[in-house]
Amino acid sequence: IMKKIILMLVFIPIISFAQTAGQECNLPFSEIGEYPNEFTESNIVLRLIEGLGYRYYWATKSLTENDLNYKPSDDSRTTHEVIKHIHELTIMIASSFENKMVDLPKENFDYKSLREKTLLNLKYIHDELKSNPDFSKLSITFKAEDSTMSFPFWNQLNGPISDALWHCGQVVMNRRASGNPLKKGVNVFIGKTSN
C-alpha cells in the first residue's frame, strides 16, 4: 500500500504538469506565421491582430500571484485587472464580427481562464478577418442607458485594438517591476521566440 501511495504522489504531479503543458501548447499566438503575399485591408489588420496575440501570449505567460497582484501605485490597476481589461477589449473587437452589441461578462475569471479566453478571442477575430474582408459592413455597437451608439470599424483600430496593444506593454512593464521579466528571446519584430 505504501508503494502505491508513493507512486501516486510521484505520478499525479507529472500528469498534472503534462495536462497543463498540453493546454499551453494548444493556445494560439506563441509565434507569428508567415506574412501574406499581398497588402490588403484585411491582411494589414490580420497582421496587427497577430502582433497583438503574440505580444499578449508572451506578456501573460507564467505570471505568478505576486505578478498578478502588482500595481505601480495605489490608484493603478493590478496586473490581473489589466489582463481582465484586455479580455474585455477582445470581446469588443469580436462583437463586430458577431454582428452584435458589446456585452461584457459580469463574472470574474481567474488568470488562466482570462488568458485562454483572450487568446481564443483573438484567434476567432483572426479567423474572421480571413473570411470577412469587407470592413464597410462591420461596426461596433454599445448600449448606453436607453440608447444605442454605433461606430464604424475604424473605431476598432484606434480604440480597442490599439488599447489592447498599449495594455500588453503595461503587463510587460508590471511583470518586470514585480521581479518576473519577459522571457529572453521574445522577438516581436520577427514574431518568433528563441529558447
Side-chain angles (χ1 to χ4, degrees), residues 149-182:
M149 298 183 303
S150 194
F151 301 89
F153 192 80
W154 288 114
N155 292 77
Q156 289 284 20
L157 297 173
N158 60 275
I161 295 173
S162 296
D163 200 25
L165 284 163
W166 174 304
H167 289 299
C168 279
Q170 189 179 1
V171 173
V172 172
M173 184 183 71
N174 281 1
R175 71 179 294 164
R176 184 180 298 133
S178 62
N180 183 13
L182 192 65

Side-chain angles (χ1 to χ4, degrees), residues 31-86:
E31 64 178 37
I32 299 177
E34 296 302 314
Y35 48 78
N37 292 325
E38 58 182 349
F39 285 91
T40 64
E41 294 168 352
S42 59
N43 281 346
I44 290 168
V45 179
L46 188 75
R47 196 65 172 183
L48 189 61
I49 294 298
E50 288 173 341
L52 170 56
Y54 180 76
R55 281 168 169 80
Y56 181 85
Y57 181 95
W58 290 104
T60 60
K61 185 172 173 54
S62 305
L63 294 177
T64 66
E65 203 62 39
N66 182 54
D67 299 324
L68 294 167
N69 292 327
Y70 176 81
K71 58 181 183 175
S73 63
D74 289 340
D75 61 345
S76 301
R77 291 177 174 146
T78 65
T79 299
H80 188 270
E81 290 167 334
V82 174
I83 291 170
K84 179 178 186 282
H85 181 55
I86 296 170

Side-chain angles (χ1 to χ4, degrees), residues 78-115:
T78 65
T79 299
H80 188 270
E81 290 167 334
V82 174
I83 291 170
K84 179 178 186 282
H85 181 55
I86 296 170
H87 175 242
E88 292 169 343
L89 292 168
T90 63
I91 291 170
M92 292 171 72
I93 302 163
S95 71
S96 287
F97 298 97
E98 296 167 341
N99 196 24
K100 67 179 190 181
M101 199 172 304
V102 173
D103 185 23
L104 299 179
K106 305 291 186 281
E107 59 198 298
N108 289 316
F109 298 109
D110 64 20
Y111 152 65
K112 285 177 77 173
S113 298
L114 277 175
R115 185 167 187 266

